[in-house]
Amino acid sequence: MGGDTSKTVGIVWGLLVLNTLGSAGAKTIIPLPRSLIQLVTMGALVGAFALALALNVRLRIQASAFLFLLTLLLVSSVLSSARLESGFGALFRCVRLALFVGTLWLLSRWWDGGPTFVRHHIRMYFAVLASVAAGLVVSPGAAMPDLYGGRLVGALWPLTPPQIGQYAAVITGLTVLLVLGRRTDRAGAAVVIVPSLVLLALTHTRTATLGLFIGLALAIGSLVLTSAAARRFFTWAVLCATVTTVALGSVLQAWFLRGQSQENFSSLTGRAKVWDALLAAPRTTVEQLFGVGLGDKSFGGLPIDNSWLAVYNEQGLTGITLVAAIIIVLGGVALLRPPSLPRACAIFLISYCAIASYTEAGLGDASPYLLHLTVAASLLTAPAAATPVPTPDVPQRRIPRWTGIGR
């Protein structure tokens, strides 16, 4: 990939990240109308598709089971939304998903199994976290409001604590793996890892924290047999985690509980009540198979906060089957590949998304989680075999028959 092309692809990826930031969240220092935010995010998606199309005008794409399944999910979403049970907004969300998936198809031309998209991913989400840190410096009160229990939110752009925690956890894990693979220096990595961990701690996001540690454990575990650096890091990490747990056990427990009662914690901050109500709601056979169409991932006015139940509600059992197939296919390909840094990064991203899917929605629609899985798919793409340079045929010297040679 040439330098100019790589930068343009990075811009396209940045626009996709901007589109998936969403428009709902905390109150910002400067009030931003939701209509303006939606205009910016949707404009970013249209710009990403147009720019990707200009880069890949000949429509050269990579064969990808991941994108094929994602396209089937799009078709299923259109079929379920066409009945307009969720209103005309469902069709708008289908158009958004179509542009999103189309842009990923156009970008697949540059999937080569290398860390290119990992670097784009880290840069873009680090820029988002930089805006969060800037909001914290400018207005600490707005960045950690009482409405969210003093948890860190986006004060410049409306971002919720789980969003910030997700971005911080993902780029921290990927950067750690790049260091272990000697694809970046430790000083540069520290610039990303240290502030990201601080922001993650300030969000008090349990899902992101567990996803980071479990995902890294699985990813580094896939490298321990072939990487001395991975073995050293794993040993030191286990030792430090043991000492920290013993020394700061009560502090960690207080951070983990976030001041919640045992009943509130056991019901996953009220999520379980929404889940029970969703599963108990009567549904027709068509709604069970295809859902009610793309919506805002809520039920009865409350967020579902579970990818599988959100997909079941909006895309039915068909959607759940396709999303499960995406996770299984990516995970299966990762397990079949020999140990390597790209494989470890893919394992981290896949496992993180699988863990987060229990308390976060997004696997069935255009979201950061699909971007994480797209990076994993790009890492698992086998590099194209080098095409041999054709050699010109050497004309053979004609030998007269009367010589008797060649008989």
Side-chain angles (χ1 to χ4, degrees):
M1 191 187 302
D4 293 339
T5 302
S6 179
K7 290 180 180 178
T8 308
V9 170
I11 293 173
V12 174
W13 196 256
L15 292 172
L16 289 177
V17 168
L18 176 58
N19 173 256
T20 57
L21 293 182
S23 58
K27 294 182 179 179
T28 54
I29 298 173
I30 301 175
L32 299 174
R34 187 173 182 181
S35 58
L36 175 62
I37 297 174
Q38 290 176 332
L39 179 64
V40 171
T41 54
M42 193 61 192
L45 179 58
V46 173
F49 179 79
L51 196 54
L53 185 60
L55 276 176
N56 193 3
V57 69
R58 295 185 179 180
L59 302 181
R60 295 177 180 174
I61 58 176
Q62 284 263 19
S64 169
F66 166 73
L67 289 178
F68 176 71
L69 291 170
L70 208 54
T71 304
L72 290 181
L73 184 64
L74 168 62
V75 173
S76 172
S77 301
V78 172
L79 292 176
S80 62
S81 300
R83 291 179 287 113
L84 299 180
E85 288 190 41
S86 298
F88 286 98
L91 296 179
F92 175 80
R93 292 182 177 91
C94 286
V95 172
R96 175 176 178 247
L97 182 58
L99 289 174
F100 185 86
V101 175
T103 305
L104 297 183
W105 270 112
L106 292 171
L107 290 180
S108 67
R109 174 184 177 183
W110 292 281
W111 295 2
D112 57 2
T116 301
F117 283 90
V118 171
R119 297 185 186 280
H120 290 324
H121 213 53
I122 292 173
R123 291 191 191 105
M124 299 310 165
Y125 280 117
F126 185 72
V128 175
L129 293 181
S131 72
V132 174
L136 178 62
V137 172
V138 172
S139 179
M144 303 184 73
D146 294 334
L147 180 64
Y148 283 86
R151 301 169 66 190
L152 181 65
V153 300
L156 298 181
W157 185 276
L159 297 173
T160 61
Q163 285 180 282
I164 299 170
Q166 175 196 163
Y167 307 153
V170 167
I171 68 172
T172 295
L174 291 176
T175 306
V176 168
L177 293 173
L178 288 182
V179 172
L180 294 179
R182 297 180 180 178
R183 297 298 181 92
T184 187
D185 60 275
R186 295 183 179 181
V191 173
V192 175
I193 294 173
V194 174
S196 296
L197 287 177
V198 171
L199 295 180
L200 174 59
L202 292 176
T203 63
H204 287 254
T205 307
R206 295 176 292 226
T207 300
T209 305
L210 290 175
L212 170 62
F213 290 134
I214 296 174
L216 268 183
L218 294 174
I220 296 174
S222 70
L223 292 172
V224 292
L225 296 179
T226 58
S227 171
R231 289 192 292 272
R232 289 194 299 269
F233 182 88
F234 190 81
T235 302
W236 279 104
V238 171
L239 179 61
C240 292
T242 303
V243 173
T244 302
T245 302
V246 173
L248 303 174
S250 59
V251 175
L252 293 176
Q253 183 180 11
W255 180 90
F256 198 79
L257 289 176
R258 297 197 309 237
Q260 295 175 336
S261 64
Q262 188 65 30
E263 179 183 357
N264 198 18
F265 176 75
S266 61
S267 66
L268 296 171
T269 322
R271 290 184 178 95
K273 297 178 181 179
V274 180
W275 299 348
D276 292 340
L278 188 153
L279 292 173
R283 291 177 182 273
T284 64
T285 303
V286 174
E287 288 174 343
Q288 285 184 336
L289 291 176
F290 298 102
V292 298
L294 293 183
D296 59 358
K297 313 297 176 286
S298 67
F299 181 79
L302 297 174
I304 297 175
D305 286 340
N306 179 290
S307 283
W308 303 102
L309 291 179
V311 170
Y312 171 69
N313 183 52
E314 297 183 355
Q315 291 135 311
L317 296 175
T318 303
I320 287 184
T321 302
L322 292 171
V323 171
I326 289 173
I327 300 292
I328 292 171
V329 167
L330 288 176
V333 173
L335 293 176
L336 292 174
R337 290 291 166 84
S340 65
L341 175 63
R343 175 184 184 241
C345 290
I347 289 175
F348 169 75
L349 291 169
I350 296 166
S351 57
Y352 181 90
C353 290
I355 293 167
S357 68
Y358 185 64
T359 58
E360 296 291 335
L363 285 181
D365 205 348
S367 69
Y369 291 105
L370 287 189
L371 289 181
H372 302 334
L373 293 179
T374 301
V375 175
S378 73
L379 290 164
L380 297 174
T381 301
T387 304
V389 179
T391 55
D393 294 333
V394 179
Q396 295 184 353
R397 185 178 178 181
R398 185 177 180 182
I399 302 174
R401 296 182 63 185
W402 57 267
T403 61
I405 301 176
R407 293 183 180 177

